[in-house]
Amino acid sequence: MELSANAKINLTLDILRRREDGYHDLQMVMQSVTLADRLTVTPAQGAVGQAVSDLHFLPTGGKNLAQMAAAAFRQAAGLGGQVDVSIQKRVPVCAGLAGGSADAAAVLRAMNRLTSAGLSSVELAKIGERVGSDVPFCVLGGTALAEGRGERLTPLSPLPPCSIVICKPHFSISTPHLFGRVNVRKIVRRPDTSGVIAALDAGDLAGVARRMYNVFEDVLEPRRAVEIGEIKAALIDCGALGASMSGSGPSVFGLFHREDLAQEALERLRSSYRDVFLCGPAGAE
Ligand code: ATP
């Protein structure tokens, strides 16, 4: 079985509070995009399923998120055998784009079909929570408000058609390190989440783009903040309606109402960065 595993971007990312259990309560408007890995899921050749990809540094066994999802499905549904998963990675790794979570979600959908278990998306998303907090969103896809650690989802009106340019700078950012730098009481700038939701309801792309923000941008190390700022400025210079960092970074994206402007941004950023993509919003699964 062949499937696509769509990446996601954060139209907003806000941190509401630090919880007693050490995790943070988040509020994020998440959007699936057409930038995607391609997966092939087949019955396992050996006794234990493998996950092979074109990136040699990814784990191939039970530590690959695709195999973790297969194990979670078997355990929760009491159905399904071992599967081999072959992954063509297109979504950059450790980029704030939930590429691994997207692979996990695709395997949950594949196992559901291969076993004819007939689980609903909501049931699959619940299984996905055991694998990672972005997996439930990747199961449902589309446009959604994600709260809690990201697992409490409310579908939203779809992002209007647009072109999206995503650029991943060369450095990577450790998510726990970034959370460690956040002092919730000192967050000065926050996204206008309710304004973004209202703009989505009104089909107002410019209204969404104008209100996007990611609170992690305030706690980046200064030299990283400079580079993220430069990429955002390049996107806006080329005509993006708005630009923001996705997740815990370092990917930055811009929303464009005209594809020719997005193409111009793509070419400009490609002169400095290898991982630059032109894609669009993807709908719910
Ligand atoms: P998020 O936006 O959810 O924080 P991310 O984009 O920052 O995710 P991913 O690329 O989803 O990060 O995951 C990166 C980590 O997961 C790496 O440590 C990688 O080795 C591990 N991993 C395990 N399986 C996969 C997979 N199938 N694809 C990508 N990374 C995987």
Side-chain angles (χ1 to χ4, degrees):
M1 179 173 287
E2 294 202 3
L3 307 97
S4 278
N6 296 319
K8 63 84 182 160
I9 53 173
N10 289 82
L11 300 177
T12 68
L13 190 156
D14 201 359
I15 302 175
L16 302 185
R17 65 189 72 82
R18 189 168 194 277
R19 307 190 319 200
E20 300 271 298
D21 61 9
Y23 289 109
H24 290 81
D25 269 330
L26 308 175
Q27 191 175 51
M28 310 180 279
V29 177
M30 316 263 271
Q31 175 63 52
S32 300
V33 295
T34 53
L35 171 65
D37 293 342
R38 287 292 302 165
L39 272 72
T40 309
V41 182
T42 47
Q45 302 268 316
V48 180
Q50 296 293 306
V52 290
S53 75
D54 39 12
L55 296 182
H56 64 89
F57 54 84
L58 287 184
T60 54
K63 288 222 162 77
N64 192 295
L65 289 157
Q67 284 300 345
M68 285 167 73
F73 182 91
R74 283 192 297 271
Q75 204 188 21
L79 282 173
Q82 296 281 330
V83 287
D84 285 335
V85 185
S86 160
I87 311 172
Q88 266 182 294
K89 277 309 281 185
R90 294 293 170 268
V91 180
V93 176
C94 292
L97 301 172
S101 302
D103 295 348
V107 169
L108 291 176
R109 282 197 296 275
M111 298 283 285
N112 197 30
R113 277 187 243 157
L114 287 169
T115 60
S116 307
L119 299 183
S120 68
S121 295
V122 172
E123 288 169 315
L124 284 183
K126 191 81 201 151
I127 299 175
E129 260 181 57
R130 305 177 189 190
V131 183
S133 44
D134 280 343
V135 181
F137 171 75
C138 292
V139 169
L140 299 182
T143 312
L145 180 69
E147 294 174 287
R149 290 176 61 194
E151 77 290 354
R152 273 197 351 253
L153 296 168
T154 312
L156 296 174
S157 303
L159 183 68
C162 60
S163 297
I164 303 172
V165 174
I166 301 175
C167 173
K168 181 194 165 286
H170 301 300
F171 58 87
S172 55
I173 297 177
S174 144
T175 306
H177 178 71
L178 210 51
F179 271 113
R181 290 173 69 95
V182 171
N183 180 338
V184 178
R185 271 163 298 169
K186 289 195 177 152
I187 294 175
V188 184
R189 191 172 166 206
R190 292 179 183 276
D192 176 4
T193 307
S194 55
V196 166
I197 294 171
L200 286 167
D201 284 338
D204 174 9
L205 179 65
V208 172
R210 209 172 34 241
R211 293 176 172 86
M212 300 188 305
Y213 190 62
N214 179 337
V215 297
F216 278 134
E217 289 181 46
D218 277 357
V219 295
L220 293 169
E221 286 172 25
R223 69 198 163 115
R224 302 310 190 199
V226 168
E227 193 164 345
I228 297 290
E230 282 169 359
I231 298 171
K232 285 173 72 170
L235 289 162
I236 299 287
D237 273 357
C238 290
L241 298 170
S244 189
M245 189 171 85
S246 184
S248 54
S251 298
V252 179
F253 66 91
L255 302 186
F256 294 79
H257 64 311
R258 278 177 40 193
E259 192 180 345
D260 58 331
L261 299 179
Q263 193 69 43
E264 211 175 293
L266 179 82
E267 277 153 33
R268 174 153 158 199
L269 287 165
R270 279 217 172 133
S271 62
S272 310
Y273 297 98
R274 193 192 53 199
D275 290 326
V276 192
F277 309 91
L278 173 51
C279 58
E285 289 295 336

